[in-house]
């Protein structure tokens, strides 16, 4: 039976071929580098909007498949944009002299943070040299001695007057363990106990009265001494302040003038001067500590001057515009900073404000921070802390484990730094939708979605940009240049990736890999440029490295382990087509589908479903077959039949509805009794109206069946039926196209089941006539006749069964 020529596709319809003649360059060395991004107009517009709007919460989430250029695109855009924006301030942390556990954050113009640090180091170095000299000066010693002598003279005068008065009244001022007391005397000596007891009551009262009066005066003198001591200390302190002001003041005054525009820095400088004056003793040379062990010399204990240092936290002195920070490992510490510790003897960990280290968010402040969404989510505490920072518009140093401890640990709490930055997260669509639906705060803080498409329309402008893309990679990575045919081959491969003659792939990671591999094979062959042949070699080698399983399955077909028929005709048996994807390799293979029908009322039985080897979409496709048969053949009678459908030698799951048309063809053959050409494989889903719908993986399916036919011998009567809507998706390899051109293999496209069954059987499908009947000898007519016969048989079987049930009753009646 000759194969039908209707609906057969021509070789030129089986793939789109890129014409190298449309390019006006010899090699890609003649082309400039690509500026901007290839395609992605929607994404670029979203990025422009998200970066320009400054209101809170309009941070960006870049979503799309991996390899679509999300990271490189945003980096390139920010690299140019950031240079036009102002350089952010430096941030430094300084000591809080009142509360050392609360370091103070200071903002300074770019570059001034380092200058302040150097200025403070120079100041302390100078002060450490000047103050000891001033403290050892004769003038200071004389002034100090004068104050002390004045204090002693006043005290001596007060006590002298008191002692004279006491002596007149027969008392003496004496020092005891409990302090100064007034003691009555007799003949310039103290009373003995016997002498005092021998006194009359009147004499005792007189002594007590005099002693009490002198004691009150002694207390007055002591109060005056304390006042004198306080005044002396104040005088000495004022002397030190005067010395400090004289020694330090004129060194700090230039700093006050230099940083006068920052009130917070001026306040800090004032506290520095006050602390230096209050701790002048620290600047004196320290005495050698005497060792308790003879012969062991202890190191000299020098006071620390770290408290006067400046921790340059964020340094932007060499920045060229706003910062752009990409944090590949967004742990809590890497994002929000950390406080380091020093382990000392005994296992004690100490820290101070100089050990505060910045995180990526600090470095990106007033600029842009890029992070990977998945990495942020899998790192403990990072996502919650990032939300808090965006919500409060400030970056706080917090211990993420503090809330989980039973005992509070004393630690530093540096002053928070105001946050003003664009946060840009990059993630897959799956992560985007999970966050959108399950994380309420996400919608508040990431309001700009930037969606990168995995495919772009094939236009003349895009083809030119593809050539520029190739040129950019070749120049940046010092690869061999591509000639016109090489670029054309690369673009054809791009169309093959998306299985569309009108679109190209925007998964540039895979395209870039092929550029590198083609350059390698061209270099290995001794070529100076990369041609179409080198691109083809790279594709072949890429497949060869990954298709071991495919070849093993082909061996199973060749040796007959997997049963397959690619010639002859069989009733109720047809070759369906499936796709297998194993990581980086995808391929197609035929699968024998069989259908059996018999009398009964079980309806359609999907064997895969019964044993739980099918998915819900496949089950839906099978149920659609019942709707199709009912709508077409049950307008004048009920459907009463039993049928089973099976994917033979299938030991794994089946999913998808791309085999639903295949299963329907098998059923129609089983009902009509008309055999199906085994050399023709089928793919396509079907709806209840009998329309054949498009499917995915059409190229892999065709090539998979072609490989089986080739191994068993091409007869010229083999081919594949595909949905007509899949015509634009054809990007078959050169071997299959050549086989079609030579008449050894064929591709048909159909729109309806009727069109497909005619190709498979060579028998007209037939259209229902006005009276509701079908033409005799057609597929639909034969199916309708078989369904009627089955219905009549069931009725007759039912009548006979009822008659047999009545026979015993009749025999009983006759006997009576």
């Amino acid at each position: 039976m000759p194969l039908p020529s209707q609906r057969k596709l021509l070789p030129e319809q089986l793939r789109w071929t890129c014409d190298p003649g449309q390019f006006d360059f010899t090699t890609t060395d003649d082309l400039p580098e690509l500026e901007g991004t290839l395609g992605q107009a929607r994404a670029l517009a979203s990025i422009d909007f998200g970066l320009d709007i400054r209101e809170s919460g309009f941070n960006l989430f870049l979503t799309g498949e991996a390899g679509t250029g999300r990271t490189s695109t945003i980096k390139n855009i920010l690299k140019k944009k950031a240079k036009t924006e102002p350089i952010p301030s430096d941030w430094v942390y300084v000591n809080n002299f009142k509360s050392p556990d609360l370091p103070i954050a200071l903002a300074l113009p770019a570059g001034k943070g380092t200058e302040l640090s150097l200025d403070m180091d120079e100041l302390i170095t100078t002060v450490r040299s000047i103050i000891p000299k001033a403290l050892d000066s004769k003038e200071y010693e004389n002034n100090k001695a004068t104050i002390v002598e004045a204090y002693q003279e006043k005290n001596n005068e007060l006590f002298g007057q008191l002692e004279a008065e006491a002596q007149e009244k027969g008392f003496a001022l004496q020092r005891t363990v409990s302090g100064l007391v007034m003691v009555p005397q007799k003949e310039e000596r103290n009373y003995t106990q016997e002498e005092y007891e021998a006194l009359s009551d009147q004499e005792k009262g007189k002594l007590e009265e005099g002693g009490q009066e002198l004691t009150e005066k002694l207390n007055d003198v002591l109060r005056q001494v304390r006042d004198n001591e306080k005044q002396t200390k104040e005088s000495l302190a004022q002397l030190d302040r005067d010395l400090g002001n004289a020694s330090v003041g004129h060194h700090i005054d230039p700093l006050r003038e230099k940083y006068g525009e920052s009130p917070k820095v001026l306040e800090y400088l004032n506290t520095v001067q006050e602390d230096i004056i209050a701790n002048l003793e620290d600047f004196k040379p320290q005495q050698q500590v005497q060792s308790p062990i003879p012969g062991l010399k202890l190191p000299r204990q020098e006071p620390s001057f770290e408290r006067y240092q400046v921790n340059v936290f964020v340094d932007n002195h060499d920045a060229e515009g706003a910062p752009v920070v990409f944090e590949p490992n967004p742990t809590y510490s890497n994002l929000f900073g950390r406080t380091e510790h020093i382990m000392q003897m005994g296992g004690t960990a100490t820290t101070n404000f100089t050990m505060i280290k910045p995180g990526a968010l600090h470095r990106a402040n007033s600029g842009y921070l890029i992070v990977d969404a998945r990495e942020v989510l899998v790192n403990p505490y990072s996502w919650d802390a990032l939300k808090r920072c965006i919500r409060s518009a400030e970056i706080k140093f917090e211990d993420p484990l503090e809330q989980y401890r039973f005992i509070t640990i004393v630690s530093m709490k540096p002053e928070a730094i105001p946050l003003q930055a664009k946060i840009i997260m990059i993630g897959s669509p799956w992560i985007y939708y999970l966050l959108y639906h399950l994380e309420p705060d996400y919608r508040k803080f990431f309001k700009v979605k930037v969606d990168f498409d995995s495919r772009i329309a094939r236009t003349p402008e895009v083809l030119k940009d593809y050539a520029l893309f190739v040129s950019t990679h070749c120049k940046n990575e010092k690869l061999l240049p591509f000639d016109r045919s090489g670029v054309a081959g690369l673009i054809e491969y791009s169309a093959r990736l998306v299985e569309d003659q009108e679109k190209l792939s925007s998964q540039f990671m895979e395209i870039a890999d092929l550029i590198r591999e083609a350059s390698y094979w061209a270099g290995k062959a001794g070529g100076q440029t990369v041609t179409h042949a080198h691109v083809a070699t790279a594709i072949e080698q890429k497949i060869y490295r990954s298709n071991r399983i495919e070849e093993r399955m082909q061996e199973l077909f060749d040796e007959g382990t997997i049963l397959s028929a690619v010639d002859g005709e069989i009733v109720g048996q047809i070759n369906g087509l499936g796709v297998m994807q194993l990581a980086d390799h995808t391929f197609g293979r035929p699968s024998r589908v069989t259908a059996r029908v018999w009398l009964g009322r079980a309806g359609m039985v999907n064997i895969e479903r019964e044993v739980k080897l099918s998915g819900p979409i496949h089950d839906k496709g099978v149920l659609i077959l019942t709707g199709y048969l009912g709508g077409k053949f049950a307008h004048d009678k009920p459907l009463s039949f039993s049928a089973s459908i099976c994917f033979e030698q299938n030991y794994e799951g089946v999913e998808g509805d791309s085999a639903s048309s295949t299963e329907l063809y098998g059923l129609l053959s089983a009902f009509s009794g008309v055999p199906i050409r085994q050399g023709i494989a089928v793919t396509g889903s079907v709806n209840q109206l009998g329309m054949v719908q498009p499917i995915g993986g059409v190229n892999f399916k065709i090539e998979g069946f072609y490989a089986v036919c080739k191994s068993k011998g091409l007869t010229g009567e083999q081919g594949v039926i595909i949905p007509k809507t899949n015509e634009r998706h054809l990007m078959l390899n050169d071997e299959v196209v050549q086989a079609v051109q030579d008449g050894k293999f064929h591709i048909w496209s159909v729109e309806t089941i009727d069109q497909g069954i005619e190709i498979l059987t060579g028998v007209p499908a037939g259209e229902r006539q006005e009276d509701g009947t079908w033409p005799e000898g057609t597929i639909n007519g034969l199916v309708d006749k078989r369904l009627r016969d089955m219905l009549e048989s069931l009725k007759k079987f039912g009548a006979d069964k009822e008659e047999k049930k009545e026979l015993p009753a009749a025999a009983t009646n006759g006997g009576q």
Side-chain angles (χ1 to χ4, degrees):
M1 185 185 304
L3 293 175
S5 58
Q6 291 182 346
R7 303 182 182 87
K8 188 183 294 185
L9 299 182
L10 300 175
E12 53 268 23
Q13 294 178 273
L14 303 183
R15 65 177 291 118
W16 167 75
T17 303
C18 182
D19 181 15
Q22 65 184 302
F23 300 118
D24 56 358
F25 60 87
T26 304
T27 71
T28 51
D29 280 344
D30 304 332
L31 297 175
E33 295 186 9
L34 176 66
E35 294 184 2
T37 301
L38 208 166
Q40 308 292 357
R42 185 196 311 274
L44 294 177
S46 301
I47 289 175
D48 289 341
F49 166 75
L51 296 182
D52 287 341
I53 189 169
R54 290 298 174 183
E55 278 69 20
S56 174
F58 284 86
N59 296 300
L60 290 74
F61 191 102
L62 275 60
T63 183
E65 298 298 330
T68 52
R70 299 167 301 174
T71 304
S72 59
T73 296
I74 192 65
K75 282 184 176 180
N76 291 334
I77 291 175
L78 291 178
K79 183 178 179 181
K80 296 177 182 178
K81 182 178 177 61
K83 288 183 178 179
T84 64
E85 298 181 352
I87 301 174
S89 302
D90 286 350
W91 283 94
V92 302
Y93 272 108
V94 295
N95 185 36
N96 186 339
F97 295 99
K98 296 180 180 178
S99 301
D101 59 331
L102 303 175
I104 299 170
L106 303 177
L108 295 160
K112 292 293 185 181
T114 302
E115 290 185 22
L116 178 62
S117 177
L118 295 175
D119 289 341
M120 287 302 299
D121 289 343
E122 183 179 354
L123 172 67
I124 298 304
T125 300
T126 303
V127 169
R128 292 183 67 181
S129 174
I130 292 175
I131 290 181
K133 295 178 181 178
L135 292 174
D136 290 338
S137 65
K138 290 184 178 181
E139 181 180 359
Y140 176 77
E141 292 295 339
N142 292 335
N143 291 337
K144 186 176 181 180
T146 301
I147 294 173
V148 173
E149 289 174 0
Y151 166 73
Q152 293 176 346
E153 288 178 1
K154 290 181 180 179
N155 290 348
N156 292 336
E157 183 179 351
L158 289 173
F159 281 110
Q161 292 176 357
L162 181 61
E163 287 179 346
E165 185 176 352
Q167 189 174 6
E168 291 178 2
K169 295 183 178 182
F171 282 83
L173 180 63
Q174 293 183 356
R175 185 179 299 274
T176 65
V177 176
S178 59
L180 295 175
V181 295
M182 288 294 181
V183 180
Q185 289 195 330
K186 179 181 180 182
E187 299 176 356
E188 296 183 356
R189 62 178 177 81
N190 296 343
Y191 276 91
T192 63
Q193 187 65 28
E194 293 78 6
E195 291 175 339
Y196 182 78
E197 293 295 336
L199 294 176
S200 63
D201 292 340
Q202 183 177 3
E203 290 175 332
K204 288 181 180 179
K206 187 176 180 181
L207 285 177
E208 289 177 0
E209 183 179 351
Q212 184 176 1
E213 181 181 353
L214 289 173
T215 299
E216 292 177 357
K217 291 185 178 182
L218 173 60
N219 292 334
D220 292 337
V221 168
L222 291 176
R223 279 193 293 271
Q224 293 181 33
V225 168
R226 285 194 294 269
D227 291 340
N228 291 340
E229 183 180 3
K230 183 178 179 181
Q231 292 176 2
T232 301
K233 288 182 178 180
E234 291 177 354
S235 299
L236 291 173
Q238 184 62 45
L239 178 64
D240 288 345
R241 281 195 293 272
D242 293 341
L243 174 66
N245 289 328
S247 303
V248 180
H250 65 279
H251 291 286
I252 293 184
D253 287 340
L255 299 183
R256 291 192 179 98
E257 182 178 352
K258 181 177 182 179
Y259 301 100
E261 295 181 358
S262 175
K264 206 170 180 180
V265 176
L266 292 179
E267 183 181 353
Y268 166 69
L269 292 174
N270 292 336
T271 58
V272 168
Q273 182 171 343
E274 292 174 3
D275 189 79
I276 291 175
I277 294 171
N279 297 278
L280 288 178
E281 293 296 323
D282 290 348
F283 293 89
K284 290 183 177 181
Q286 302 299 308
Q287 299 296 325
Q288 181 70 38
V289 179
Q290 186 67 33
S291 174
I293 303 175
L296 178 62
K297 187 176 181 181
L298 295 178
R300 180 175 297 178
Q301 298 294 324
E302 296 287 347
S304 173
F305 297 97
E306 275 189 342
R307 62 183 183 276
Y308 302 117
Q309 291 182 3
V310 174
N311 179 2
V312 183
F313 190 64
V314 178
D315 185 8
N316 290 311
H317 77 277
D318 57 351
E320 298 179 0
V324 178
V325 178
F326 175 71
E327 179 51 63
N329 184 25
T331 63
Y332 184 89
S333 298
N334 287 349
L335 277 180
F336 310 104
R338 63 191 183 279
T339 303
E340 297 179 343
H341 293 75
I342 295 178
M343 298 301 295
Q344 295 182 338
M345 295 180 64
T348 304
T350 61
T351 187
N352 57 54
F353 72 96
T354 63
M355 299 182 191
I356 305 172
K357 304 301 178 183
L361 205 55
H362 297 101
R363 299 193 303 273
N365 206 2
S366 299
Y368 307 92
L369 174 65
I370 307 172
V371 292
D372 183 272
R374 178 186 173 278
E375 295 295 331
V376 171
L377 294 174
V378 300
N379 277 291
Y381 317 114
S382 293
W383 171 245
D384 289 334
L386 183 61
K387 290 190 299 181
R388 286 194 296 270
C389 288
I390 298 175
R391 182 185 296 112
S392 61
E394 62 181 14
I395 315 171
K396 285 185 177 180
F397 275 91
E398 296 178 322
D399 182 0
L401 299 177
E402 184 174 358
Q403 59 183 320
Y404 301 104
R405 295 194 184 104
F406 292 104
I407 300 176
T408 303
I409 298 176
V410 178
S411 61
M412 287 194 307
K413 294 186 179 295
E415 183 180 2
I417 292 178
L419 173 64
Q420 186 178 5
K422 282 285 183 183
I423 313 298
I424 300 158
M425 292 180 67
I426 302 175
S428 66
W430 181 71
I431 293 178
Y432 169 81
Y433 290 115
L434 279 179
L435 285 173
Y436 189 87
H437 291 291
L438 301 180
E439 173 55 272
D441 289 334
Y442 167 80
R443 308 181 198 180
K444 302 176 184 176
F445 304 138
F446 290 88
K447 298 182 179 181
V448 182
K449 178 185 179 183
V450 181
D451 198 352
F452 279 77
D453 199 351
S454 60
R455 58 184 65 196
I456 53 179
R458 175 174 59 80
T459 64
E461 293 76 16
V462 169
L463 295 181
K464 293 179 181 178
D465 286 345
Y466 245 90
L468 296 179
F469 175 80
V470 177
S471 173
T472 301
H473 270 276
C474 291
K475 291 177 180 178
N476 290 345
E477 301 183 22
K478 296 180 173 54
L479 305 175
L480 292 177
F482 279 59
D483 67 6
R484 298 177 186 178
S485 67
V487 173
L490 191 73
I491 293 175
E492 290 174 7
Y493 175 75
S494 176
R496 161 84 178 197
L497 286 178
V498 296
E499 291 191 294
D500 198 321
Q501 298 180 5
E502 302 297 328
K503 293 186 180 297
L504 299 176
S505 172
S506 59
Q507 290 186 307
F508 300 112
M509 180 174 65
E510 191 160 354
I511 301 299
D513 287 342
L514 185 61
I515 293 173
R516 300 180 184 104
E517 293 180 27
S519 175
Y520 166 80
W521 290 112
K524 191 168 185 179
Q528 299 300 314
T529 59
V530 181
T531 65
H532 191 287
H534 297 133
V535 174
T537 300
I539 296 172
E540 292 171 2
Q541 292 296 323
K542 185 181 179 75
I543 294 173
Y544 178 72
R545 294 194 298 270
S546 305
N547 72 341
R548 184 184 64 83
I549 302 299
E550 179 184 7
E551 290 186 354
R552 178 67 183 120
M553 289 197 66
Q554 183 62 50
E555 291 175 7
L556 297 177
F557 280 101
D558 296 342
E559 64 192 22
T561 302
I562 298 179
L563 302 178
S564 63
V566 294
D567 57 7
E569 297 179 347
I570 301 177
V571 175
Q573 178 175 298
I574 187 171
N575 284 313
L577 298 176
V579 174
M580 299 185 68
Q581 185 167 4
L582 302 174
D584 60 338
H585 185 60
T586 304
F587 61 95
R589 277 293 178 266
S591 179
R592 175 180 288 183
V593 178
T594 58
R596 302 297 299 272
V597 297
W598 62 90
L599 289 178
R601 292 188 175 90
M604 198 79 65
V605 176
N606 177 13
I607 293 179
E608 263 67 33
R609 179 183 179 183
E610 296 301 317
V611 297
K612 296 180 174 58
L613 279 179
S614 65
I617 298 177
H618 179 261
D619 294 341
K620 174 185 176 183
V622 175
L623 294 175
I624 287 175
L625 305 187
T626 303
Y628 171 82
L629 294 174
K632 196 161 190 175
F633 299 108
H635 60 283
D636 58 354
K637 60 185 176 300
L639 290 182
S640 296
F641 68 91
S642 294
S644 67
I645 299 175
C646 178
F647 280 73
E648 304 293 349
Q649 291 185 290
N650 172 51
Y651 310 108
E652 299 177 353
V654 177
E655 180 59 311
D657 62 349
S658 64
S660 57
S661 66
T662 309
E663 295 165 329
L664 184 53
Y665 291 136
L667 278 174
L668 294 177
S669 172
F671 276 119
S672 66
V674 179
I676 288 177
R677 292 186 173 107
Q678 298 301 293
I680 301 177
V682 179
T683 184
S685 69
V686 67
N687 62 22
Q688 294 189 103
L689 302 177
M691 305 297 295
V692 179
Q693 302 170 143
I695 44 79
V698 63
N699 295 294
F700 299 109
K701 292 177 178 179
I702 294 173
E703 291 167 359
F705 186 65
Y706 171 81
V708 174
C709 292
K710 178 185 174 183
S711 68
K712 292 181 176 293
L714 294 172
T715 64
E717 296 185 355
Q718 296 149 333
V720 175
I721 297 176
I722 66 170
K724 186 173 181 58
T725 46
N726 278 123
E727 286 183 9
R728 66 172 289 172
H729 303 137
L730 292 175
M731 284 296 296
L732 295 171
N733 61 38
D734 293 338
E735 184 179 357
V736 176
V737 174
Q738 187 62 46
V740 172
Q741 191 168 355
D742 295 340
K744 298 179 180 179
F745 199 74
H746 310 279
I747 311 292
W748 293 270
S749 68
V750 298
E751 297 176 281
T752 65
I753 290 296
D754 287 347
Q755 294 173 359
I757 197 66
E758 289 179 354
I759 297 172
L760 289 166
T761 62
V763 178
E767 293 190 11
R768 190 165 62 186
Q769 300 174 357
E770 293 182 359
D771 60 356
T773 62
W774 301 90
E776 292 186 8
T778 63
I779 296 295
N780 290 328
L782 293 171
V783 172
D784 185 67
K785 184 177 182 303
R786 178 69 182 279
L787 289 171
R788 288 181 183 276
D789 291 345
M790 294 173 74
L791 180 60
E792 291 298 327
S793 298
L794 281 172
K795 288 180 180 180
K796 183 178 178 181
F797 177 78
D800 291 344
K801 190 173 182 180
E802 290 296 327
E803 183 178 348
K804 289 179 179 179
K805 287 182 179 180
E806 294 175 0
L807 281 176
T812 303
N813 292 334
Q816 290 176 351

